[in-house]
Amino acid sequence: MFGLGKKRSKLGRWLDQRGISQQWLANTSKVSRSTISDLCQKNVAHAPTQRTMTKILKALRKVDPNLKADDFFDI
């Protein structure tokens, strides 16, 4: 089960809809699991650095090459 009832961010919802685990994203992007978890929760005030966003997008583009940063992050 994904989300565990927590309010999800755009990134969290996108992962849930595709059945992609946060662990997969952490491993693929080389971003810590706790950072990925924070970014997937809607109420956590966590703004990723540019470097973190780049790593995450590079990993997610393995699933969908057309993704953009503003699909997930308010930049």
Side-chain angles (χ1 to χ4, degrees):
M1 179 169 139
F2 295 101
L4 300 175
K6 298 176 184 176
K7 292 187 179 188
R8 306 292 276 167
S9 66
K10 289 187 257 183
L11 175 61
R13 286 191 307 271
W14 190 90
L15 292 174
D16 293 347
Q17 290 168 352
R18 285 155 186 82
I20 299 171
S21 72
Q22 291 179 21
Q23 189 62 55
W24 176 88
L25 182 55
N27 292 342
T28 306
S29 66
K30 307 291 190 243
V31 172
S32 76
R33 175 70 172 75
S34 62
T35 297
I36 298 296
S37 179
D38 287 347
L39 292 173
C40 287
Q41 294 181 46
K42 188 170 188 161
N43 293 332
V44 175
H46 183 91
T49 64
Q50 183 67 37
R51 184 174 181 191
T52 298
M53 279 193 287
T54 300
K55 288 178 169 184
I56 290 171
L57 283 174
K58 184 177 178 181
L60 294 177
R61 285 181 178 143
K62 292 180 180 189
V63 177
D64 182 348
N66 299 315
L67 294 174
K68 301 178 300 286
D70 60 357
D71 290 336
F72 305 109
F73 308 110
D74 296 328
I75 54 173

